[in-house]
């Protein structure tokens, strides 16, 4: 059995707890996930294995952001930042949109991408309209070119309420895109001083 991302977002906890009783080993992709299995689900530590995620794409590090933006029909001029995540409540896209609003006040020419699909697609589209960000935020949906899109960004933003070892952060670090993230999961151990910043607060101003 493998638990990744937000362990509490995989289905009814009672059902998962029962299934773990029959697993010989439980694999977690981050220390917080392994700790969750042990402390919350009652799994014996000797039955857990820590297996960090592995990401390809290092060859994109030398690719021009401008060229990628042109190739993907993205805004070429001005700062471009974005979030890559399933459109579900735990990812807190509302905080991301509030951050976009705060960023717009500082840099009116900044633009943002929301990359991912999920049940909140329509709700987020409405929220973008309500905030008057239709010209500033692109809701792209699912993409098969995630690594290229991340490389095209000036910064990747993570606003999740809960995480394990987020792939989006690993992908950003791999392709050389700075990360701005709330302190969640094992992000603080992944993002070094030269890789971006990890903030302890959850206010939009903390992320700007």
């Amino acid at each position: 059995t493998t638990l990744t991302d937000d362990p509490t977002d995989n289905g009814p906890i009672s059902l998962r707890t029962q299934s773990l009783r029959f697993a010989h080993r439980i694999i977690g992709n981050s220390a917080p996930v392994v700790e969750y299995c042990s402390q919350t689900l009652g799994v014996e530590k000797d039955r857990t294995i820590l297996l960090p995620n592995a990401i390809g794409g290092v060859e994109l590090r030398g690719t021009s952001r401008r060229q990628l933006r042109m190739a993907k029909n993205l805004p070429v001029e001005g700062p471009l930042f974005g979030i890559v995540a399933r459109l579900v409540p735990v990812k807190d896209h509302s905080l991301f949109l509030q951050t976009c609003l705060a960023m717009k006040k500082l840099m009116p020419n900044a633009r943002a991408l929301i990359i991912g699909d999920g049940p909140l697609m329509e709700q987020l589209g409405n929220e973008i309209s309500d905030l008057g960000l239709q010209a500033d935020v692109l809701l792209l949906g699912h993409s098969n070119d995630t690594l290229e899109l991340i490389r095209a960004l000036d910064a990747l933003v993570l606003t999740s309420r809960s995480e394990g070892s987020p792939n989006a952060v690993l992908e950003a670090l791999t392709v050389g895109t700075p990360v701005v993230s709330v302190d969640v999961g094992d992000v603080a151990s992944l993002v070094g001083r030269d890789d971006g910043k990890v903030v302890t607060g959850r206010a939009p101003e903390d992320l700007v």
Side-chain angles (χ1 to χ4, degrees):
T1 297
T2 303
L3 290 179
T4 61
D5 195 17
D6 170 28
T8 64
D9 195 38
N10 290 336
I13 188 169
S14 59
L15 179 61
R16 290 201 332 280
T17 302
Q18 292 176 25
S19 67
L20 291 179
R21 291 165 46 200
F22 302 101
H24 294 290
R25 292 289 186 273
I26 294 90
I27 301 172
N29 70 339
S30 69
V33 170
V34 172
E35 183 178 350
Y36 171 85
C37 290
S38 176
Q39 295 187 359
T40 304
L41 300 184
V43 175
E44 299 87 345
K45 287 188 176 181
D46 60 0
R47 291 173 56 214
T48 61
I49 299 173
L50 173 61
L51 184 63
N53 292 338
I55 302 294
V58 68
E59 67 278 358
L60 288 172
R61 272 182 170 265
T63 307
S64 163
R65 286 190 168 88
R66 185 180 182 86
Q67 290 178 356
L68 281 173
R69 292 181 190 181
M70 293 175 64
K72 300 297 181 184
N73 294 316
L74 299 174
V76 174
E77 305 299 333
L80 183 66
F81 59 102
I83 182 172
V84 179
R86 292 174 295 122
L87 307 186
V88 292
V90 73
K91 302 300 182 180
D92 203 353
H93 287 82
S94 293
L95 174 56
F96 177 76
L97 291 178
Q98 290 296 328
T99 302
C100 293
L101 206 58
M103 181 67 74
K104 185 178 178 181
K105 296 177 182 178
L106 295 176
M107 293 185 287
N109 63 337
R111 298 293 182 267
L113 308 179
I114 296 179
I115 305 162
D117 201 357
L120 296 185
M121 176 73 78
E122 183 177 353
Q123 178 179 318
L124 286 172
N126 293 335
E127 194 169 346
I128 289 170
S129 297
D130 292 342
L131 292 173
L133 293 172
Q134 301 96 313
D136 307 291
V137 179
L138 299 177
L139 191 56
L140 297 186
H142 172 76
S143 174
N144 292 321
D145 302 318
T146 303
L147 283 173
E148 293 182 354
L149 291 173
I150 291 176
R151 173 60 189 172
L153 301 174
D154 291 301
L156 176 92
V157 181
L158 186 84
T159 53
S160 301
R161 298 190 186 103
S162 178
E163 284 285 356
S165 182
N167 280 342
V169 169
L170 295 173
E171 290 167 342
L173 297 177
T174 298
V175 301
T177 295
V179 173
V180 179
S181 175
V182 296
D183 190 1
V184 62
D186 64 355
V187 172
S189 67
L190 297 172
V191 179
R193 182 177 301 177
D194 298 329
D195 301 320
K197 71 174 183 177
V198 179
V199 302
T200 55
R202 293 194 60 85
E205 293 74 20
D206 297 323
L207 291 161
V208 172

